[in-house]
């Protein structure tokens, strides 16, 4: 049987043990002083051109559109970090939403997340970018996309206090979206009333009822009652002063 060539620790010279312990302590101290790894947010890249995506979809553009939507929605949650929506590059986000709609024009999901997700950030410039995107896409297919412009009108009125913009969106819904629900087509009347344009609101509401556009009895009853309230408010308001 061969004898072990390993030396007992008691046989190691004391200066060598001290040097080894010092080196180990130095290594531990060095590691403790190092900053912890910080997860860095990746920048949202631009989407590939639509013709390229159509080519690589292999005849399944809707499936690819759904995958791209999932990718975009998950982008704010990266390994080790969560990116606030307000820190995203909004023009680039809009390019992604536009591309997804280009692959699947019938989907409403990009407009929904534009109005209900990305437009909710407390940054006015970014809210307006999303509103403008939704408005632009609404004009391409009003009867299918009016809900999301109505959502933007509500946000413009209550979040931005921009009643003029809210009125513009409401009027476009009335003008272009024949399939829109009654409440959306009547929105401009109540925005006008809120802006102090009681006379204009009264005229529009009277014309709406007289034109036979409203057929639901409960809706007719509500609007008729509201018309009477507007007329009473108009009568009770002080007359405007005229110059002599």
């Amino acid at each position: 049987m061969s004898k072990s060539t390993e030396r007992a620790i008691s046989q190691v010279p004391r200066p060598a043990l001290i040097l080894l312990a010092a080196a180990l302590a130095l290594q531990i101290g060095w590691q403790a002083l190092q900053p912890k790894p910080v997860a860095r947010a990746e920048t949202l890249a631009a989407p590939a051109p639509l013709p390229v995506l159509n080519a690589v979809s292999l005849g399944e553009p809707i499936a690819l559109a759904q995958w791209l939507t999932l990718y975009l929605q998950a982008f704010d949650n990266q390994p080790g970090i969560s990116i606030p929506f307000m820190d995203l590059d909004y023009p680039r986000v809009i390019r992604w939403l536009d591309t997804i709609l280009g692959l699947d024009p019938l989907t409403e999901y990009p407009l929904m997340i534009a109005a209900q997700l990305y437009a909710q950030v407390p940054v006015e410039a970014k809210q307006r970018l999303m509103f403008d995107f939704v408005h632009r896409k609404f004009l391409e297919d009003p009867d299918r996309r009016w809900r999301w412009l109505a959502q933007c009108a509500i946000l413009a009125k209550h979040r931005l206090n921009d009643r003029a913009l809210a009125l513009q969106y409401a009027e476009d819904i009335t003008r272009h979206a024949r399939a829109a629900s009654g409440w959306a087509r009547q929105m401009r009347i109540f925005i006008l009333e809120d802006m102090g344009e009681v006379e204009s609101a009264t005229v529009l509401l009277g014309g709406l009822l007289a034109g036979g556009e409203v057929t639901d009895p409960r809706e007719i009853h509500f609007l008729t009652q509201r018309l009477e309230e507007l007329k009473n408010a108009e009568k009770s308001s002080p007359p405007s002063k005229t110059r002599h």
Side-chain angles (χ1 to χ4, degrees), residues 101 104-114 143-148:
L101 281 171
D104 183 6
L106 298 184
T107 183
E108 296 182 41
Y109 199 73
L111 296 171
M112 184 192 78
I113 60 176
D143 286 337
R144 190 183 302 276
R145 299 171 176 171
W146 62 267
R147 294 172 183 82
W148 314 119

Side-chain angles (χ1 to χ4, degrees), residues 136-189:
R136 176 165 52 86
K137 304 313 288 186
F138 158 82
L139 293 174
E140 295 177 6
D141 193 354
D143 286 337
R144 190 183 302 276
R145 299 171 176 171
W146 62 267
R147 294 172 183 82
W148 314 119
L149 188 62
Q151 175 78 17
C152 290
I154 293 170
L155 290 173
K157 178 184 174 184
H158 294 287
R159 295 285 180 86
L160 300 185
N161 291 319
D162 191 339
R163 292 178 176 83
L165 184 62
L167 181 60
Q168 177 193 343
Y169 291 164
E171 287 181 336
D172 279 350
I173 291 172
T174 303
R175 186 178 300 113
H176 300 292
R178 305 301 300 176
S181 293
W183 66 266
R185 294 177 58 78
Q186 297 152 19
M187 191 186 302
R188 60 175 179 159
I189 296 171

Side-chain angles (χ1 to χ4, degrees), residues 80-156:
I81 192 169
S82 180
I83 307 171
F85 290 132
M86 63 189 298
D87 291 341
L88 293 173
D89 182 335
Y90 266 45
R92 189 155 288 180
V93 170
I94 288 172
R95 286 180 62 185
W96 276 86
L97 296 174
D98 224 344
T99 298
I100 293 166
L101 281 171
L103 288 169
D104 183 6
L106 298 184
T107 183
E108 296 182 41
Y109 199 73
L111 296 171
M112 184 192 78
I113 60 176
Q116 297 190 346
L117 195 66
Y118 296 116
Q120 301 289 340
V121 299
V123 181
E124 181 176 336
K126 292 190 171 184
Q127 287 179 313
R128 289 184 183 276
L129 281 174
M130 282 297 157
F131 293 166
D132 183 68
F133 165 73
V134 173
H135 182 235
R136 176 165 52 86
K137 304 313 288 186
F138 158 82
L139 293 174
E140 295 177 6
D141 193 354
D143 286 337
R144 190 183 302 276
R145 299 171 176 171
W146 62 267
R147 294 172 183 82
W148 314 119
L149 188 62
Q151 175 78 17
C152 290
I154 293 170
L155 290 173

